Amino acid sequence: MAQYFARSLLVLGALGLSGCAAFSPDSGMSAVSELTSQTIRKDIAFVRTAEGAGAVDARVRQLLSRTLTEETAVQLALLNNKGLQAAYNELALAETDLVEQSLPSNPVFSVSRISGNGASEIERQVVGDILALATLPFRSDIARERFRQAQLRAALATLRLATDVRRAYVRAVAGNEMVVLLTDAKATAESTAQLAVKLGETGSVNKLDQALEQVFYAETTADLATARQAATSARDRLARLMGLWDDGLDFRLPNQLPPLPRRPQALPSIEADAVAHRIDLQIARLELTALAKSLNLTEATRFVTLLDLAGISRRTQDPEGAPFRERGFDVQFQIPIFDGGEVRVRQAAETYNLAFNRLTERAVNVRSEARDAYRVYRSSYDIASHYQREIIPLRKIITEEMQLRFSSMQVDIFALLTEARQRLASLRGAIEARQNFLIAQSELQTAVNGGGAPVSGGDNPTNIAAAAPADGGH
């Protein structure tokens, strides 16, 4: 009987091993690369060896050797950000869970020897968890769903990093442009303030006009200091996202934001696109599928949560007689007297309902986020375009006309300076409008494909421990 049982365990184990998952060469990164390349079209790398680290370092140095564009900044961050590498490590850990859950439970072999008064008894047992073997295909299927979720979460972390880098890059370049503008404005204000002081000494300018010029210079100086601080902070945030150390902090950025596109994007089906492509929704759908399978498994094993079968071989040596051998088996199972599995089934059902309601809520929110992101994108484009096509050209005409009138002594210096203040305000508004548009453009991509900041309860996986059979794992 013991030999027959041992052979049976080996057969069942072999059948279980035939469906076991194996470690993939890239820890599931091919699926992550496929998902992210559709949206950001950039290379990603999971650095696990010294050779891989060397290749990444060489690529990073190459990207840093020239002025960074928005796209090269994103590529650099995807290769060099250690937080993203940690997210890929979590994916590799999820694969270990998949492999573990697809393996059958190891049988337990025990040997005991009892002796006394010249007699001895040796007993051998092979114990196997029959319930774990019977539920192995179901648990392995659930583990595959959860590994697929881990792949999507790694892709989501990649998209979120790309989105954060785009925002930081736009703010850093806008900060540089604002510093250049205010530096020129400060030089002009300083010259006019000094001129006002000299004219005041001759009595040509009263104290009020002198004070007005002095305060404009003082305010411009304060604005420049504030702009430099903002630009420095934005640059540091971009450096953090790109994972740069001290030796890489001297990267070069342009001093001007890119121009507006000729026309905005037209996305008539943006809500449907968001529902179809959002990665956080795909994660929630997979979670619901895994919970449904786990709920079915819980219902199937609600009455039996422990089923162990042991093959026993016992050899007894008696000094007064010939030795003899006994064989048999032992079965252990739990009697559902007090707990008939109703608690576990109820927990699994409520966990499933919780995930379903979260998925429904997330789908509603995704549609709303997509609509709002497109409205902000279009309005930001219209505002920035209005500055570019109407306000700035008109300001240029006004400046040229004022300078002609000043040259012909039709207006005084103070009228010219008043116009300079107004032109400075318009130029600052144009920079801010272009910055807002570029950020809204990134937010629009996020609303369609995912990658924004995590929402509470939105993309965190629901705990399915309550839906798994008790004592059914390893």
Side-chain angles (χ1 to χ4, degrees):
M1 176 63 73
Q3 294 176 354
Y4 174 77
F5 177 66
R7 287 195 296 268
S8 300
L9 282 177
L10 290 175
V11 171
L12 288 173
L15 292 176
L17 288 172
S18 64
C20 288
F23 288 106
S24 59
D26 60 354
S27 300
M29 285 297 297
S30 57
V32 177
S33 178
E34 181 180 355
L35 285 167
T36 56
S37 63
Q38 298 171 1
T39 302
I40 56 178
R41 295 178 177 84
K42 295 289 182 296
D43 298 329
I44 61 174
F46 185 16
V47 181
R48 308 178 70 180
T49 63
E51 293 78 7
V56 167
D57 289 341
R59 182 77 182 280
V60 168
R61 288 194 297 270
Q62 178 187 9
L63 293 174
L64 289 173
S65 64
R66 54 182 183 269
T67 302
L68 291 181
T69 65
E70 182 176 329
E71 299 304 320
T72 56
V74 171
Q75 180 63 84
L76 197 154
L78 294 180
L79 296 175
N80 202 48
N81 185 281
K82 300 307 178 186
L84 184 61
Q85 292 298 311
Y88 296 159
N89 290 132
E90 291 178 354
L91 174 60
L93 288 174
E95 188 180 37
T96 64
D97 293 336
L98 168 62
V99 174
E100 181 185 23
Q101 290 298 320
S102 66
L103 293 174
S105 301
N106 292 324
V108 178
F109 179 76
S110 65
V111 178
S112 61
R113 183 178 184 276
I114 301 174
S115 61
N117 295 329
S120 65
E121 181 179 277
I122 299 176
E123 180 178 290
R124 295 184 292 270
Q125 291 190 38
V126 179
V127 183
D129 189 344
I130 303 301
L131 183 61
L133 285 174
T135 59
L136 178 62
F138 303 98
R139 291 186 289 107
S140 179
D141 196 19
I142 294 171
R144 286 189 178 89
E145 296 289 344
R146 300 184 73 178
F147 178 63
R148 176 61 176 166
Q149 285 180 264
Q151 289 178 313
L152 291 175
R153 284 194 292 272
L156 189 60
T158 305
L159 294 179
R160 282 177 176 163
L161 177 61
T163 299
D164 290 341
V165 171
R166 293 185 190 279
R167 293 194 196 103
Y169 179 87
V170 169
R171 291 191 173 102
V173 176
N176 287 348
E177 188 170 359
M178 191 68 73
V179 167
V180 171
L181 175 64
L182 291 175
T183 300
D184 294 340
K186 178 189 174 184
T188 302
E190 184 178 12
S191 300
T192 56
Q194 292 174 354
L195 177 60
V197 170
K198 292 180 180 179
L199 292 176
E201 293 174 352
T202 62
S204 301
V205 176
N206 57 41
K207 291 185 177 180
L208 175 60
D209 291 334
Q210 290 184 55
L212 290 174
E213 297 310 317
Q214 290 291 336
V215 77
F216 176 57
Y217 170 63
E219 289 174 348
T220 305
T221 302
D223 289 345
L224 176 58
T226 302
R228 283 175 174 166
Q229 178 58 49
T232 302
S233 297
R235 182 185 178 90
D236 284 342
R237 172 164 175 75
L238 179 61
R240 290 197 301 272
L241 292 172
M242 294 190 298
L244 297 178
W245 293 84
D246 293 340
D247 56 351
L249 296 180
D250 58 346
F251 59 91
R252 299 189 301 276
L253 292 175
N255 289 327
Q256 191 173 13
L257 289 170
L260 293 176
R262 292 185 176 181
R263 59 182 61 87
Q265 300 180 53
L267 299 174
S269 59
I270 184 172
E271 296 179 33
D273 291 342
V275 172
H277 298 113
R278 280 283 287 260
I279 292 183
D280 50 356
L281 272 183
Q282 296 181 43
I283 293 174
R285 293 189 189 105
L286 284 176
E287 177 66 18
L288 198 65
T289 301
L291 285 170
K293 294 178 179 179
S294 189
L295 175 60
N296 292 335
L297 181 58
T298 302
E299 291 177 342
T301 60
R302 63 178 299 180
F303 295 112
V304 180
T305 58
L306 173 65
L307 181 56
D308 288 343
L309 181 61
I312 302 173
S313 176
R314 181 182 299 157
R315 183 179 184 275
T316 302
Q317 176 70 48
D318 191 332
E320 297 181 358
F324 61 92
R325 185 182 299 275
E326 299 172 296
R327 295 183 178 88
F329 64 91
D330 176 69
V331 178
Q332 295 184 23
F333 59 91
Q334 191 177 69
I335 301 176
I337 297 177
F338 305 107
D339 182 6
E342 182 179 355
V343 173
R344 292 189 300 111
V345 172
R346 180 66 63 87
Q347 289 174 339
E350 292 303 324
T351 304
Y352 176 85
N353 292 334
L354 182 149
F356 175 79
N357 288 325
R358 282 184 174 173
L359 172 61
T360 306
E361 178 195 25
R362 194 79 195 107
V364 173
N365 292 343
V366 161
R367 295 174 65 90
S368 176
E369 290 168 8
R371 290 193 304 268
D372 184 61
Y374 186 69
R375 283 195 295 265
V376 172
Y377 166 81
R378 282 305 307 264
S379 63
S380 300
Y381 178 85
D382 293 339
I383 294 170
S385 177
H386 185 67
Y387 269 99
Q388 179 176 294
R389 298 175 183 176
E390 299 291 337
I391 297 177
I392 299 304
L394 288 173
R395 278 295 171 194
K396 182 179 179 181
I397 294 173
I398 293 172
T399 299
E400 293 173 351
E401 291 297 321
M402 290 294 292
Q403 289 175 346
L404 289 174
R405 283 163 173 73
F406 177 73
S407 300
S408 60
M409 302 182 67
Q410 298 180 26
V411 296
D412 58 13
I413 184 65
F414 300 106
L416 189 63
L417 295 176
T418 300
E419 189 280 328
R421 292 191 189 95
Q422 296 171 348
R423 183 170 182 269
L424 175 62
S426 297
L427 291 175
R428 295 178 68 174
I431 294 174
E432 292 174 356
R434 268 186 299 150
Q435 172 184 294
N436 293 337
F437 165 74
L438 293 172
I439 292 177
Q441 183 174 250
S442 177
E443 297 290 347
L444 178 62
Q445 186 182 66
T446 296
V448 175
N449 299 293
V455 179
S456 178
D459 61 341
N460 294 326
T462 305
N463 183 9
I464 68 171
D471 303 322
H474 297 287

